[in-house]
Amino acid sequence: MDSPLPISPSALDEAPDTPFDISLRPPLFQEFSGQAKTVERLQLMVEAARQRGDVLQHILLSGPPGLGKTTLAYIVGNAVGADVKTTSGPMIEKAGDLAGLLTNLQRGDVLFIDEIHRLQPAIEEYLYPAMEDFKVDIMIDQGPSARSIQLHLAKFTLIGATTRSGMISAPLRSRFGMNCRLDYYTSEELQQILLRSAGLIGMQIDSDGALEIARRSRGTPRIANNYLRWVRDYAQVRASGQTNRDIASAALTMLDVDEDGFDEMDKRILEAIVLKFNGGPVGVNALAVAVGEDAGTLEEVHEPYLIMQGYLSRTLQGRIAMSRAYRKLGLEAPPKPQNDLFG
C-alpha cells in the first residue's frame, strides 16, 4: 500500500471508510473491543431472535464518527447469517429508490442506512409502514390517473446509523426497537484494537508503542488505525520496521499530534477563545471565522473532544474556555467571578 500523506485528525475523523479500514473490521462480537454494554445488548437480541427463529427488531446506532457503527451493523448481520445491504441517507433521493432497496430484501436481511438523519421527510413517510407493517405504497402515474399500489415486503431488519441523533425525527426514532449510543474508547481499549490491527497488517509493534498511539487517538478507532498506518510507514523508513513507544511518539509528533491528541486546529481553537475573545463566551460562527474553519466542522469534529476532555464549555451565550485550556496554553486561568449577594 502506498504511504499516505500526513493528514490532520479532523480529516481522519470525517473521511469515509477506506479499503484499509474495511480490512481491519472484526467480523464477530468476540473480536470487537470496547462498547461492552452495547455489544452485550446486541448479543442478547441476536441470541433471542435465533432461538425464536424470528427476525431482529430495528436498531439505531448513534455516536460520533469512527466509533464502529458500520462495523457493528456487519457483525449483527454475520451473527444472524443475513446479507447486509448498505446505503446512506443522502443517496436515497426518491421514494422509488427506497422501494427498490426494500423489495429486493429477503427475509431476515439487514438494511443498513448510514447517516439516516439526512433522509428527506418524504422518504421517511415511505419508511414508516415498511418498518412497522412491512408494506410500502407506491404511486403509479400522475394527475387524475394516479393510483397507489401496495407492495408486501419480506420481514427485514433496519439498522440506522447517525452522528446527529438530535436531528432524527421523533416518529422515526420511535420505530426503532433498540437505541444504542456509542461512546469514545479508553486508551486500553484502543490499545487492544491497535495490537489486533498490527497483527493483521504484519506490523511489529510492542504494547507500549500501541498504547502511545492509543493515547493520542482521541478515543476513536478510525483515527487510531489511520495513525497506525502512518507509524508503520515512519518505522519502515526510519526505524527498520520496529515500533516502540519512542518511535510511535516521534512519528505522531511529525504529524503535529501532541500527547493529548491535539492537532494544530485544536490549539488554534483554544488560542482564539483565550487570546482573541478573552476566554469567551464566543459564538461558533465568530470562532469559525477566527480560526478559518467551517462552523459545522468545529461542532461535529473538534468540539466534542475538547468538551469531553474539559477544555471547553458550551453555553447558551457561546463557547467558554475552561481552566484546563489555559494550562494547556501555559497561561494562568483568570479567577472565577464571585457573586456578592450583600453588596
Side-chain angles (χ1 to χ4, degrees):
M1 185 179 293
D2 295 336
S3 301
L5 295 174
I7 41 184
S8 69
S10 59
L12 295 174
D13 205 29
E14 289 198 315
D17 293 332
T18 65
F20 177 79
D21 299 316
I22 295 172
S23 67
L24 300 182
R25 283 181 180 154
L28 305 172
F29 283 119
Q30 292 78 4
E31 297 183 28
F32 189 91
S33 298
Q35 313 295 341
K37 291 182 179 180
T38 294
V39 169
E40 184 179 10
R41 294 167 185 164
L42 292 176
Q43 284 181 302
L44 190 147
M45 287 178 59
V46 168
E47 183 59 29
R50 290 174 61 181
Q51 290 182 8
R52 295 193 307 268
D54 199 359
V55 175
L56 277 176
Q57 58 183 321
H58 307 303
I59 301 168
L60 178 63
L61 303 174
S62 60
L67 298 189
K69 296 184 290 294
T70 302
T71 299
L72 281 174
Y74 277 94
I75 289 177
V76 168
N78 289 336
V80 296
D83 289 334
V84 180
K85 308 294 176 61
T86 303
T87 186
S88 65
M91 291 181 62
I92 305 175
E93 298 179 351
K94 299 177 295 184
D97 297 336
L98 179 62
L101 289 170
L102 295 174
T103 53
N104 285 320
L105 295 175
Q106 305 297 319
R107 176 178 170 82
D109 281 355
V110 173
L111 175 61
F112 176 64
I113 302 182
D114 197 11
E115 297 300 304
I116 195 170
H117 64 272
R118 297 176 64 184
L119 282 175
Q120 299 178 20
I123 304 298
E124 277 193 22
E125 295 293 334
Y126 275 92
L127 195 56
Y128 297 157
M131 295 176 68
E132 287 188 318
D133 304 320
F134 302 101
K135 299 176 182 178
V136 62
D137 294 319
I138 300 297
M139 296 298 298
I140 304 296
D141 294 330
Q142 296 179 352
S145 60
R147 63 188 188 278
S148 175
I149 297 179
Q150 187 176 83
L151 301 178
H152 294 267
L153 306 173
K155 197 172 183 181
F156 69 97
T157 298
L158 173 65
I159 300 182
T162 177
T163 56
R164 305 285 295 273
S165 59
M167 295 180 64
I168 295 181
S169 65
L172 179 59
R173 183 193 300 274
S174 65
R175 284 169 169 81
F176 287 98
M178 175 67 71
N179 190 338
C180 299
R181 166 77 185 183
L182 274 61
D183 297 317
Y184 288 103
Y185 291 65
T186 66
S187 295
E188 290 71 22
E189 290 168 343
L190 288 178
Q191 180 189 35
Q192 295 304 313
I193 293 172
L194 288 169
L195 290 173
R196 175 185 178 275
S197 298
L200 291 176
I201 63 176
M203 177 181 175
Q204 296 180 357
I205 185 171
D206 60 21
S207 297
D208 290 339
L211 184 59
E212 183 66 20
I213 299 174
R215 288 174 53 244
R216 305 189 187 203
S217 297
R218 306 165 70 95
T220 306
R222 180 182 296 165
I223 294 178
N225 279 328
N226 278 281
Y227 282 167
L228 181 71
R229 179 170 55 176
W230 167 257
V231 172
R232 176 195 62 180
D233 292 348
Y234 181 94
Q236 177 181 332
V237 174
R238 299 194 176 181
S240 302
Q242 299 289 336
T243 305
N244 54 28
R245 180 178 179 179
D246 292 337
I247 297 300
S249 177
L252 294 176
T253 299
M254 189 174 180
L255 275 183
D256 291 328
V257 178
D258 68 11
E259 295 182 353
D260 296 319
F262 276 51
D263 67 344
E264 181 184 358
M265 181 54 66
D266 296 315
K267 297 171 186 175
R268 287 170 62 184
I269 291 171
L270 295 186
E271 289 173 352
I273 296 177
V274 170
L275 301 178
K276 295 182 180 179
F277 298 101
N278 298 320
V282 55
V284 65
N285 291 324
L287 181 60
V289 172
V291 299
E293 184 59 272
D294 177 68
T297 302
L298 293 185
E299 287 186 306
E300 297 181 26
V301 177
H302 295 279
E303 279 190 354
Y305 180 75
L306 296 176
I307 293 172
M308 180 186 68
Q309 296 298 321
Y311 292 95
L312 291 184
S313 176
R314 185 185 295 173
T315 69
L316 293 176
Q317 291 76 29
R319 279 64 178 167
I320 298 176
M322 307 301 286
S323 57
R324 192 172 184 184
Y326 287 86
R327 292 196 297 271
K328 177 70 176 178
L329 299 177
L331 302 173
E332 184 177 350
K336 295 182 179 180
Q338 297 182 355
N339 295 326
D340 190 349
L341 298 179
F342 302 99

